Protein backbone atom coordinates (compact mmCIF):
# COMPACT_ATOMS: atom_id res chain seq x y z
CA UNK A 1 0.00 0.00 0.00
CA UNK A 2 1.10 3.56 -0.60
CA UNK A 3 -0.09 6.86 0.76
CA UNK A 4 -3.39 7.73 -0.86
CA UNK A 5 -4.27 4.14 -1.85
CA UNK A 6 -7.76 2.99 -0.92
CA UNK A 7 -9.40 -0.39 -0.40
CA UNK A 8 -13.16 -0.82 -0.41
CA UNK A 9 -14.21 -3.20 2.38
CA UNK A 10 -17.90 -2.94 1.48
CA UNK A 11 -20.89 -1.45 3.28
CA UNK A 12 -19.43 2.02 2.93
CA UNK A 13 -16.14 1.26 4.66
CA UNK A 14 -13.35 2.44 2.45
CA UNK A 15 -9.88 2.24 4.00
CA UNK A 16 -7.57 5.09 3.06
CA UNK A 17 -3.83 4.68 3.68
CA UNK A 18 -1.55 7.39 4.96
CA UNK A 19 2.20 6.84 5.10
CA UNK A 20 3.51 7.81 8.55
CA UNK A 21 7.08 6.50 8.55
CA UNK A 22 9.40 5.98 11.53
CA UNK A 23 6.75 5.75 14.25
CA UNK A 24 8.56 2.88 15.93
CA UNK A 25 8.91 1.16 12.53
CA UNK A 26 10.38 2.68 9.37
CA UNK A 27 7.35 1.64 7.31
CA UNK A 28 4.47 2.61 9.61
CA UNK A 29 1.27 3.33 7.73
CA UNK A 30 -2.01 4.67 9.16
CA UNK A 31 -5.41 3.61 7.79
CA UNK A 32 -8.54 5.73 7.97
CA UNK A 33 -12.14 4.58 7.74
CA UNK A 34 -14.05 7.68 6.72
CA UNK A 35 -17.47 6.16 7.49
CA UNK A 36 -16.77 5.66 11.19
CA UNK A 37 -14.09 8.39 11.28
CA UNK A 38 -11.72 5.91 12.86
CA UNK A 39 -7.96 6.19 12.37
CA UNK A 40 -5.89 3.04 12.88
CA UNK A 41 -2.44 4.20 13.97
CA UNK A 42 -0.39 1.04 14.68
CA UNK A 43 2.03 1.96 17.50
CA UNK A 44 1.43 5.71 17.51
CA UNK A 45 -0.84 6.99 20.31
CA UNK A 46 -0.50 3.66 22.10
CA UNK A 47 0.30 2.76 25.70
CA UNK A 48 1.13 -0.42 27.55
CA UNK A 49 -1.98 -0.21 29.69
CA UNK A 50 -4.64 -2.85 30.18
CA UNK A 51 -7.99 -2.59 31.93
CA UNK A 52 -11.57 -3.70 31.35
CA UNK A 53 -12.41 -0.47 29.50
CA UNK A 54 -12.49 -0.55 25.73
CA UNK A 55 -12.20 3.23 25.63
CA UNK A 56 -10.12 5.93 27.35
CA UNK A 57 -12.87 6.86 29.84
CA UNK A 58 -10.46 7.43 32.75
CA UNK A 59 -7.86 9.99 31.67
CA UNK A 60 -6.15 10.08 35.05
CA UNK A 61 -5.63 6.31 35.00
CA UNK A 62 -3.92 6.25 31.60
CA UNK A 63 -1.99 9.55 31.61
CA UNK A 64 1.29 8.24 33.07
CA UNK A 65 1.40 5.20 30.75
CA UNK A 66 0.53 7.31 27.72
CA UNK A 67 3.46 9.63 28.51
CA UNK A 68 5.91 6.81 29.32
CA UNK A 69 5.14 5.07 26.03
CA UNK A 70 5.58 8.34 24.15
CA UNK A 71 8.96 9.02 25.80
CA UNK A 72 10.32 5.55 25.08
CA UNK A 73 8.97 4.78 21.63
CA UNK A 74 7.69 7.93 19.94
CA UNK A 75 9.80 10.81 21.29
CA UNK A 76 12.96 9.72 19.43
CA UNK A 77 11.07 10.39 16.18
CA UNK A 78 9.30 13.57 17.16
CA UNK A 79 9.75 15.19 13.75
CA UNK A 80 8.15 12.19 12.04
CA UNK A 81 5.24 12.46 14.48
CA UNK A 82 4.75 16.10 13.58
CA UNK A 83 4.66 15.14 9.89
CA UNK A 84 2.18 12.34 10.62
CA UNK A 85 -0.04 14.67 12.65
CA UNK A 86 -0.03 17.19 9.81
CA UNK A 87 -1.32 14.45 7.50
CA UNK A 88 -3.95 13.50 10.12
CA UNK A 89 -5.14 17.10 10.05
CA UNK A 90 -5.63 16.84 6.28
CA UNK A 91 -7.84 13.73 6.63
CA UNK A 92 -10.67 15.65 8.26
CA UNK A 93 -12.56 14.72 11.39
CA UNK A 94 -11.18 11.85 13.47
CA UNK A 95 -13.59 10.52 16.08
CA UNK A 96 -11.65 7.51 17.30
CA UNK A 97 -7.98 6.54 17.29
CA UNK A 98 -7.67 2.77 17.26
CA UNK A 99 -4.04 2.13 18.13
CA UNK A 100 -2.24 -1.19 18.39
CA UNK A 101 -1.77 -1.09 22.19
CA UNK A 102 -4.10 0.00 24.97
CA UNK A 103 -7.60 1.49 25.02
CA UNK A 104 -9.22 3.13 21.98
CA UNK A 105 -8.94 6.92 22.22
CA UNK A 106 -12.36 8.55 22.03
CA UNK A 107 -13.45 10.47 25.16
CA UNK A 108 -10.16 12.41 25.54
CA UNK A 109 -8.99 12.35 21.98
CA UNK A 110 -8.47 16.10 21.62
CA UNK A 111 -6.43 16.35 24.84
CA UNK A 112 -4.28 13.34 23.96
CA UNK A 113 -3.63 14.61 20.42
CA UNK A 114 -2.63 17.96 21.85
CA UNK A 115 -0.19 16.24 24.24
CA UNK A 116 1.50 14.49 21.29
CA UNK A 117 1.66 17.78 19.39
CA UNK A 118 3.22 19.74 22.28
CA UNK A 119 5.69 17.05 23.36
CA UNK A 120 6.83 16.49 19.78
CA UNK A 121 7.30 20.20 19.06
CA UNK A 122 9.48 20.54 22.13
CA UNK A 123 11.46 17.42 21.36
CA UNK A 124 11.97 18.16 17.66
CA UNK A 125 13.68 21.46 18.41
CA UNK A 126 16.56 19.72 20.20
CA UNK A 127 16.83 16.74 17.88
CA UNK A 128 19.78 15.65 15.71
CA UNK A 129 18.33 14.17 12.52
CA UNK A 130 19.61 12.09 9.63
CA UNK A 131 17.62 12.34 6.39
CA UNK A 132 17.48 9.16 4.30
CA UNK A 133 16.47 9.88 0.70
CA UNK A 134 15.57 7.04 -1.64
CA UNK A 135 13.23 6.10 -4.48
CA UNK A 136 10.95 3.74 -2.68
CA UNK A 137 9.47 1.93 -5.67
CA UNK A 138 12.79 0.59 -6.82
CA UNK A 139 13.83 -2.96 -5.94
CA UNK A 140 14.84 -3.38 -2.34
CA UNK A 141 15.49 0.24 -1.53
CA UNK A 142 12.72 0.42 1.14
CA UNK A 143 14.20 -2.41 3.16
CA UNK A 144 17.74 -1.18 2.65
CA UNK A 145 16.75 2.30 3.86
CA UNK A 146 15.03 0.74 6.88
CA UNK A 147 18.21 -1.18 7.79
CA UNK A 148 20.36 1.91 7.55
CA UNK A 149 17.81 3.89 9.59
CA UNK A 150 17.89 1.25 12.31
CA UNK A 151 21.67 1.56 12.50
CA UNK A 152 21.47 5.34 12.88
CA UNK A 153 18.77 5.08 15.56
CA UNK A 154 20.95 2.79 17.68
CA UNK A 155 23.11 5.83 18.39
CA UNK A 156 20.13 7.88 19.63
CA UNK A 157 20.00 10.03 16.48
CA UNK A 158 16.58 10.44 14.84
CA UNK A 159 15.93 9.44 11.24
CA UNK A 160 13.48 10.66 8.64
CA UNK A 161 13.07 8.60 5.50
CA UNK A 162 11.88 10.50 2.44
CA UNK A 163 10.67 8.96 -0.81
CA UNK A 164 12.13 11.12 -3.58
CA UNK A 165 9.48 9.86 -6.02
CA UNK A 166 6.60 11.42 -4.14
CA UNK A 167 8.05 14.20 -1.96
CA UNK A 168 8.11 17.65 -3.52
CA UNK A 169 11.40 19.47 -3.93
CA UNK A 170 10.61 21.92 -1.12
CA UNK A 171 10.12 19.05 1.35
CA UNK A 172 13.34 17.42 0.19
CA UNK A 173 15.33 20.62 0.52
CA UNK A 174 13.83 21.43 3.93
CA UNK A 175 14.89 18.06 5.35
CA UNK A 176 18.32 18.19 3.66
CA UNK A 177 18.89 21.64 5.12
CA UNK A 178 17.85 20.66 8.66
CA UNK A 179 19.51 17.23 8.84
CA UNK A 180 22.95 16.82 10.40
CA UNK A 181 23.54 13.81 8.14
CA UNK A 182 22.26 12.91 4.67
CA UNK A 183 22.04 9.35 3.33
CA UNK A 184 21.08 8.79 -0.28
CA UNK A 185 19.92 5.55 -1.86
CA UNK A 186 20.71 6.27 -5.50
CA UNK A 187 17.75 5.88 -7.84
CA UNK A 188 18.50 4.31 -11.24
CA UNK A 189 19.53 6.83 -13.91
CA UNK A 190 16.33 6.07 -15.87
CA UNK A 191 14.24 7.54 -13.06
CA UNK A 192 14.64 11.15 -14.12
CA UNK A 193 12.28 12.63 -11.48
CA UNK A 194 14.16 10.96 -8.64
CA UNK A 195 17.55 11.87 -10.10
CA UNK A 196 16.47 15.51 -10.35
CA UNK A 197 15.23 15.44 -6.75
CA UNK A 198 18.60 14.13 -5.58
CA UNK A 199 20.45 16.82 -7.55
CA UNK A 200 18.30 19.46 -5.88
CA UNK A 201 19.81 18.40 -2.54
CA UNK A 202 23.19 19.70 -3.59
CA UNK A 203 21.91 23.25 -3.50
CA UNK A 204 21.26 23.21 0.26
CA UNK A 205 24.10 21.05 1.57
CA UNK A 206 26.49 22.65 4.06
CA UNK A 207 30.07 21.63 4.78
CA UNK A 208 29.25 20.75 8.43
CA UNK A 209 26.94 17.95 7.36
CA UNK A 210 27.98 14.36 6.78
CA UNK A 211 26.99 12.17 3.88
CA UNK A 212 26.62 8.48 3.01
CA UNK A 213 25.58 6.87 -0.29
CA UNK A 214 24.31 3.47 -1.33
CA UNK A 215 22.98 1.99 -4.55
CA UNK A 216 21.02 -1.19 -5.04
CA UNK A 217 21.33 -2.09 -8.69
CA UNK A 218 24.08 -3.05 -11.08
CA UNK A 219 24.79 -0.40 -13.65
CA UNK A 220 27.84 0.37 -15.74
CA UNK A 221 27.58 4.12 -15.55
CA UNK A 222 28.05 4.81 -11.86
CA UNK A 223 25.97 7.92 -11.03
CA UNK A 224 26.90 7.31 -7.38
CA UNK A 225 30.54 8.24 -8.10
CA UNK A 226 29.85 11.57 -9.74
CA UNK A 227 27.40 12.51 -6.97
CA UNK A 228 29.95 11.54 -4.33
CA UNK A 229 32.58 13.75 -5.96
CA UNK A 230 30.17 16.69 -5.93
CA UNK A 231 29.44 16.26 -2.23
CA UNK A 232 33.10 15.94 -1.36
CA UNK A 233 33.87 19.08 -3.38
CA UNK A 234 31.31 20.89 -1.20
CA UNK A 235 33.40 19.94 1.85
CA UNK A 236 31.00 17.50 3.57
CA UNK A 237 32.36 14.61 5.65
CA UNK A 238 31.78 11.09 4.34
CA UNK A 239 30.51 8.87 7.18
CA UNK A 240 31.06 5.60 5.29
CA UNK A 241 32.35 4.66 1.83
CA UNK A 242 29.64 4.18 -0.85
CA UNK A 243 27.83 0.85 -0.49
CA UNK A 244 27.22 -0.89 -3.83
CA UNK A 245 24.75 -3.75 -3.83
CA UNK A 246 24.87 -5.71 -7.06
CA UNK A 247 23.04 -8.86 -5.98
CA UNK A 248 19.81 -9.68 -4.18
CA UNK A 249 20.34 -8.36 -0.63
CA UNK A 250 21.04 -11.02 2.02
CA UNK A 251 21.07 -10.81 5.82
CA UNK A 252 24.73 -9.77 5.52
CA UNK A 253 23.76 -6.86 3.24
CA UNK A 254 21.21 -5.57 5.74
CA UNK A 255 23.78 -5.95 8.54
CA UNK A 256 26.33 -4.02 6.48
CA UNK A 257 23.86 -1.18 5.93
CA UNK A 258 22.90 -1.14 9.60
CA UNK A 259 26.59 -0.79 10.48
CA UNK A 260 26.98 2.00 7.94
CA UNK A 261 24.05 3.83 9.59
CA UNK A 262 25.62 3.36 13.02
CA UNK A 263 28.91 4.78 11.70
CA UNK A 264 27.09 7.93 10.63
CA UNK A 265 25.20 8.21 13.94
CA UNK A 266 28.42 7.79 15.92
CA UNK A 267 30.14 10.46 13.86
CA UNK A 268 27.30 12.87 14.66
CA UNK A 269 27.14 12.18 18.41
CA UNK A 270 30.90 11.94 19.03
CA UNK A 271 31.38 15.63 19.78
CA UNK A 272 28.34 15.75 22.06
CA UNK A 273 29.58 12.68 23.98
CA UNK A 274 33.07 14.12 24.46
CA UNK A 275 31.55 17.26 25.97
CA UNK A 276 29.40 15.17 28.35
CA UNK A 277 32.38 13.07 29.48
CA UNK A 278 34.47 16.18 30.14
CA UNK A 279 31.79 17.63 32.39
CA UNK A 280 31.89 14.71 34.88
CA UNK A 281 33.14 15.34 38.42
CA UNK A 282 36.89 14.61 38.42
CA UNK A 283 37.10 12.90 41.84
CA UNK A 284 34.11 10.72 41.19
CA UNK A 285 35.58 9.80 37.82
CA UNK A 286 38.87 8.78 39.43
CA UNK A 287 37.14 6.72 42.10
CA UNK A 288 35.09 4.88 39.49
CA UNK A 289 38.30 4.19 37.57
CA UNK A 290 39.40 1.94 40.44
CA UNK A 291 36.88 -0.67 39.33
CA UNK A 292 38.97 -3.17 37.37
CA UNK A 293 37.97 -5.99 35.06
CA UNK A 294 39.62 -8.49 32.78
CA UNK A 295 40.04 -8.12 29.03
CA UNK A 296 38.00 -10.24 26.66
CA UNK A 297 37.06 -10.55 23.02
CA UNK A 298 33.48 -11.51 22.28
CA UNK A 299 33.09 -13.39 19.00
CA UNK A 300 29.78 -14.25 17.33
CA UNK A 301 28.33 -15.76 14.21
CA UNK A 302 24.71 -15.81 13.12
CA UNK A 303 24.01 -17.27 9.66
CA UNK A 304 26.57 -15.71 7.34
CA UNK A 305 27.16 -12.65 9.56
CA UNK A 306 29.91 -12.51 12.13
CA UNK A 307 30.98 -9.96 14.70
CA UNK A 308 33.58 -9.32 17.39
CA UNK A 309 34.16 -6.79 20.15
CA UNK A 310 36.82 -6.05 22.75
CA UNK A 311 35.07 -5.98 26.13
CA UNK A 312 36.10 -5.43 29.72
CA UNK A 313 32.76 -4.88 31.44
CA UNK A 314 32.30 -8.60 31.97
CA UNK A 315 31.50 -10.19 35.32
CA UNK A 316 30.43 -13.57 36.69
CA UNK A 317 26.81 -13.34 37.77
CA UNK A 318 25.48 -16.76 38.84
CA UNK A 319 26.61 -20.19 40.06
CA UNK A 320 23.71 -22.39 39.07
CA UNK A 321 23.64 -22.32 36.15
CA UNK A 322 27.07 -20.80 35.60
CA UNK A 323 26.37 -17.36 34.21
CA UNK A 324 27.93 -14.01 33.53
CA UNK A 325 26.99 -10.49 32.46
CA UNK A 326 28.40 -8.38 29.67
CA UNK A 327 27.69 -4.66 29.23
CA UNK A 328 27.24 -3.79 25.55
CA UNK A 329 26.85 -0.17 24.48
CA UNK A 330 23.60 0.40 22.61
CA UNK A 331 25.33 1.61 19.46
CA UNK A 332 27.71 -1.33 19.07
CA UNK A 333 27.62 -3.07 15.70
CA UNK A 334 27.54 -6.40 17.56
CA UNK A 335 24.28 -5.49 19.33
CA UNK A 336 22.06 -7.12 16.70
CA UNK A 337 23.97 -10.42 17.11
CA UNK A 338 23.61 -10.39 20.90
CA UNK A 339 19.86 -10.65 21.32
CA UNK A 340 18.11 -13.08 23.68
CA UNK A 341 18.78 -16.65 22.49
CA UNK A 342 21.88 -15.66 20.49
CA UNK A 343 25.14 -17.51 21.11
CA UNK A 344 28.69 -16.25 21.30
CA UNK A 345 32.17 -17.10 22.54
CA UNK A 346 33.86 -15.15 25.33
CA UNK A 347 37.62 -15.28 24.70
CA UNK A 348 39.80 -14.42 27.69
CA UNK A 349 42.96 -12.48 26.86
CA UNK A 350 46.29 -13.43 28.41
CA UNK A 351 48.32 -11.11 30.64
CA UNK A 352 51.47 -9.94 28.80
CA UNK A 353 50.26 -11.38 25.49
CA UNK A 354 47.17 -9.56 24.37
CA UNK A 355 48.29 -6.44 22.47
CA UNK A 356 48.06 -8.00 19.01
CA UNK A 357 44.49 -9.23 19.50
CA UNK A 358 43.43 -6.03 21.25
CA UNK A 359 44.83 -3.90 18.44
CA UNK A 360 43.27 -6.09 15.78
CA UNK A 361 39.76 -5.98 17.23
CA UNK A 362 39.85 -2.26 18.00
CA UNK A 363 40.73 -1.38 14.39
CA UNK A 364 37.90 0.56 12.79
CA UNK A 365 36.79 -1.41 9.75
CA UNK A 366 34.50 -0.39 6.94
CA UNK A 367 30.98 -1.82 7.28
CA UNK A 368 30.86 -5.38 5.98
CA UNK A 369 34.64 -6.00 6.25
CA UNK A 370 35.76 -9.41 7.59
CA UNK A 371 36.70 -8.90 11.24
CA UNK A 372 38.56 -12.20 11.42
CA UNK A 373 40.91 -11.74 8.44
CA UNK A 374 44.48 -12.61 9.56
CA UNK A 375 43.44 -14.04 12.96
CA UNK A 376 43.75 -17.74 13.95
CA UNK A 377 40.35 -19.19 14.76
CA UNK A 378 38.64 -22.52 15.41
CA UNK A 379 34.93 -23.20 15.37
CA UNK A 380 33.12 -23.71 18.67
CA UNK A 381 30.24 -26.17 19.13
CA UNK A 382 27.88 -23.21 19.00
CA UNK A 383 29.32 -22.32 15.57
CA UNK A 384 31.02 -19.10 16.73
CA UNK A 385 34.76 -18.48 16.23
CA UNK A 386 37.19 -19.27 19.07
CA UNK A 387 40.39 -17.19 19.02
CA UNK A 388 43.20 -19.75 19.04
CA UNK A 389 45.64 -17.31 20.68
CA UNK A 390 43.38 -16.49 23.64
CA UNK A 391 44.07 -17.84 27.14
CA UNK A 392 40.64 -19.43 27.56
CA UNK A 393 37.21 -19.46 26.00
CA UNK A 394 33.60 -19.98 27.07
CA UNK A 395 30.59 -20.80 24.91
CA UNK A 396 27.70 -18.60 26.03
CA UNK A 397 24.05 -17.90 25.30
CA UNK A 398 22.25 -14.61 25.96
CA UNK A 399 19.34 -15.32 28.31
CA UNK A 400 18.01 -11.89 29.23
CA UNK A 401 18.89 -8.22 29.14
CA UNK A 402 18.43 -5.12 31.27
CA UNK A 403 18.41 -1.67 29.74
CA UNK A 404 20.91 0.52 31.62
CA UNK A 405 20.90 3.97 30.06
CA UNK A 406 23.53 3.81 27.28
CA UNK A 407 24.30 0.07 27.66
CA UNK A 408 22.48 -3.25 27.68
CA UNK A 409 23.51 -5.60 30.48
CA UNK A 410 23.25 -9.09 29.03
CA UNK A 411 22.88 -12.05 31.36
CA UNK A 412 24.33 -15.11 29.69
CA UNK A 413 24.73 -18.76 30.61
CA UNK A 414 27.90 -20.73 29.88
CA UNK A 415 27.71 -24.23 28.42
CA UNK A 416 31.32 -25.13 27.53
CA UNK A 417 34.75 -23.76 28.18
CA UNK A 418 38.47 -24.52 28.14
CA UNK A 419 41.74 -22.98 29.32
CA UNK A 420 44.53 -23.40 26.79
CA UNK A 421 47.44 -22.20 29.00
CA UNK A 422 46.81 -23.32 32.61
CA UNK A 423 49.80 -21.42 34.04
CA UNK A 424 48.96 -18.02 32.58
CA UNK A 425 46.91 -15.18 34.11
CA UNK A 426 44.01 -13.19 32.73
CA UNK A 427 44.86 -9.75 31.31
CA UNK A 428 43.48 -7.07 33.67
CA UNK A 429 42.42 -3.60 32.69
CA UNK A 430 43.62 -1.01 35.26
CA UNK A 431 42.18 2.45 34.62
CA UNK A 432 42.81 5.94 35.97
CA UNK A 433 39.32 7.27 35.25
CA UNK A 434 35.90 5.70 35.04
CA UNK A 435 34.51 7.67 32.12
CA UNK A 436 35.71 5.14 29.55
CA UNK A 437 36.24 1.38 29.50
C1 LIG B 1 39.79 -1.63 26.90
C2 LIG B 1 38.47 -1.56 26.27
C3 LIG B 1 37.38 -2.21 26.81
C4 LIG B 1 36.10 -2.13 26.22
N1 LIG B 1 35.04 -2.74 26.81
C5 LIG B 1 33.80 -2.59 26.27
C6 LIG B 1 32.67 -3.19 26.89
O1 LIG B 1 32.75 -3.86 27.91
N2 LIG B 1 31.45 -2.97 26.33
C7 LIG B 1 31.30 -2.23 25.18
O2 LIG B 1 30.18 -2.07 24.70
N3 LIG B 1 32.37 -1.67 24.55
C8 LIG B 1 33.61 -1.84 25.07
N4 LIG B 1 34.69 -1.27 24.47
C9 LIG B 1 34.50 -0.56 23.19
C10 LIG B 1 34.52 -1.51 22.01
O3 LIG B 1 35.43 -2.55 22.11
C11 LIG B 1 34.87 -0.79 20.70
O4 LIG B 1 34.56 0.52 20.74
C12 LIG B 1 34.07 -1.45 19.64
O5 LIG B 1 34.65 -2.69 19.35
C13 LIG B 1 33.92 -0.64 18.37
O6 LIG B 1 32.93 -1.30 17.68
P1 LIG B 1 31.68 -0.56 17.01
O7 LIG B 1 32.05 -0.54 15.57
O8 LIG B 1 30.51 -1.38 17.34
O9 LIG B 1 31.58 0.79 17.62
C14 LIG B 1 35.95 -1.37 25.04
C15 LIG B 1 37.04 -0.69 24.49
C16 LIG B 1 38.29 -0.78 25.09
C17 LIG B 1 39.43 -0.03 24.48
Amino acid sequence: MKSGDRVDLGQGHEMEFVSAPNLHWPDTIFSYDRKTQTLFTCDAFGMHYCSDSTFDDDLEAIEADFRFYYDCLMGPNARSLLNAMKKMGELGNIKVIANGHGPLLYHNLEILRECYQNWSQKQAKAETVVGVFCASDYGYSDRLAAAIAQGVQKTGVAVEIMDVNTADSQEIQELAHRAAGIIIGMPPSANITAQAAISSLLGVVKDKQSIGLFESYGSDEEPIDSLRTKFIDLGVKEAFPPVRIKETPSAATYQLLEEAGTDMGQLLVRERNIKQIKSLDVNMEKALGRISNGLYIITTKKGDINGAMLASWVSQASLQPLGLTVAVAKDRAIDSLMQEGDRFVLNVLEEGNYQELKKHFLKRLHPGADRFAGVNTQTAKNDCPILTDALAYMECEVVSSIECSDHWILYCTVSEGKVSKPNSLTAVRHRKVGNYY
Side-chain angles (χ1 to χ4, degrees):
M1 287 300 159
K2 287 210 182 59
S3 231
D5 283 358
R6 286 164 193 236
V7 167
D8 189 353
L9 301 180
Q11 300 188 352
H13 298 282
E14 196 184 39
M15 283 298 191
E16 184 174 334
F17 298 93
V18 180
S19 166
N22 307 323
L23 304 184
H24 197 196
W25 299 105
D27 50 0
T28 318
I29 197 156
F30 291 171
S31 354
Y32 182 59
D33 174 23
R34 198 166 287 283
K35 185 174 177 187
T36 56
Q37 299 184 333
T38 302
L39 183 72
F40 299 87
T41 56
C42 310
D43 287 330
F45 297 96
M47 69 198 88
H48 292 140
Y49 178 87
C50 188
S51 76
D52 290 333
S53 307
T54 306
F55 292 96
D56 56 337
D57 11 52
D58 187 351
L59 182 60
E60 216 180 310
I62 62 171
E63 251 170 350
D65 290 276
F66 187 70
R67 176 72 206 234
F68 185 64
Y69 182 99
Y70 174 90
D71 285 344
C72 296
L73 297 176
M74 296 290 134
N77 287 304
R79 186 72 63 170
S80 302
L81 263 174
L82 290 173
N83 288 337
M85 284 187 283
K86 197 168 141 217
K87 290 182 190 166
M88 280 166 62
E90 289 160 9
L91 280 175
N93 198 28
I94 296 169
K95 232 197 240 167
V96 182
I97 284 187
N99 50 54
H101 307 277
L104 306 186
L105 310 185
Y106 170 65
H107 299 289
N108 297 289
L109 188 54
E110 285 318 307
I111 299 174
L112 295 172
R113 274 178 79 170
E114 214 174 290
C115 286
Y116 256 49
Q117 187 75 28
N118 294 340
W119 296 335
S120 302
Q121 266 165 351
K122 216 164 158 191
Q123 181 93 9
K125 270 190 199 151
E127 205 174 59
T128 305
V129 175
V130 166
V132 179
F133 301 87
C134 60
S136 100
D137 62 346
Y138 192 81
Y140 298 88
S141 63
D142 275 345
R143 284 188 64 193
L144 297 170
I148 222 162
Q150 195 168 336
V152 175
Q153 283 170 328
K154 273 166 72 174
T155 64
V157 170
V159 178
E160 285 178 44
I161 300 176
M162 193 162 274
D163 181 357
V164 292
N165 282 323
T166 52
D168 61 44
S169 65
Q170 246 174 340
E171 275 179 297
I172 292 174
Q173 291 197 338
E174 189 279 324
L175 176 56
H177 176 74
R178 170 166 51 85
I182 294 173
I183 295 176
I184 297 173
M186 283 301 290
S189 39
N191 184 342
I192 293 165
T193 323
Q195 286 286 351
I198 298 290
S199 302
S200 76
L201 282 175
L202 287 161
V204 294
V205 165
K206 296 161 285 196
D207 58 3
K208 284 202 178 71
Q209 288 171 306
S210 66
I211 177 88
L213 305 172
F214 70 93
E215 67 171 5
S216 61
Y217 58 97
S219 145
D220 295 335
E221 17 155 9
E222 305 268 6
I224 199 170
D225 291 322
S226 55
L227 186 69
R228 179 182 182 223
T229 312
K230 285 181 193 154
F231 275 113
I232 289 175
D233 288 347
L234 287 168
V236 296
K237 279 174 281 180
E238 194 174 44
F240 53 85
V243 181
R244 298 162 207 272
I245 301 147
K246 304 280 184 201
E247 286 157 14
T248 306
S250 64
T253 319
Y254 293 113
Q255 173 75 11
L256 184 157
L257 279 166
E258 191 179 317
E259 287 178 22
T262 303
D263 279 355
M264 174 170 283
Q266 284 174 338
L267 184 71
L268 299 176
V269 295
R270 199 168 295 148
E271 277 175 29
R272 191 182 69 195
N273 287 352
I274 289 171
K275 258 189 224 150
Q276 273 172 2
I277 286 172
K278 280 190 179 153
S279 67
L280 283 179
D281 174 79
V282 177
N283 286 323
M284 183 181 83
E285 237 174 76
K286 285 184 180 165
L288 206 69
R290 296 294 150 157
I291 296 176
S292 299
N293 292 75
L295 274 177
Y296 310 88
I297 309 278
I298 292 170
T299 48
T300 59
K301 184 168 185 290
K302 200 170 168 180
D304 53 355
I305 310 167
N306 59 38
M309 178 184 92
L310 175 71
S312 70
W313 293 4
V314 174
S315 178
Q316 184 159 352
S318 67
L319 288 169
Q320 276 186 337
L322 287 171
L324 49 89
T325 59
V326 187
V328 178
K330 284 184 173 171
D331 61 354
R332 291 276 166 263
I334 207 166
D335 166 71
S336 51
L337 306 175
M338 301 273 288
Q339 302 294 309
E340 283 174 27
D342 286 346
R343 286 147 204 266
F344 65 93
V345 167
L346 183 71
N347 300 273
V348 183
L349 297 186
E350 182 188 356
E351 185 63 58
N353 182 27
Y354 62 83
Q355 290 298 351
E356 285 287 307
L357 284 174
K358 181 180 166 201
K359 230 172 29 200
H360 179 91
F361 286 102
L362 274 180
K363 238 185 280 159
R364 273 198 89 77
L365 299 181
H366 289 319
D370 178 9
R371 270 154 226 274
F372 294 95
V375 179
N376 297 326
T377 59
Q378 288 153 272
T379 304
K381 283 194 187 138
N382 68 10
D383 211 26
C384 300
I386 299 171
L387 302 179
T388 313
D389 297 329
L391 165 64
Y393 77 88
M394 281 151 268
E395 297 195 22
C396 310
E397 178 177 339
V398 181
V399 175
S400 56
S401 60
I402 310 174
E403 187 169 8
C404 293
S405 173
D406 43 11
H407 282 68
W408 293 105
I409 306 288
L410 309 179
Y411 171 65
C412 317
T413 48
V414 181
S415 56
E416 297 269 337
K418 203 171 161 195
V419 180
S420 59
K421 300 177 187 171
N423 298 323
S424 297
L425 294 174
T426 302
V428 178
R429 170 90 172 141
H430 291 294
R431 304 175 302 166
K432 293 245 163 39
V433 286
N435 60 21
Y436 191 60
Y437 298 103

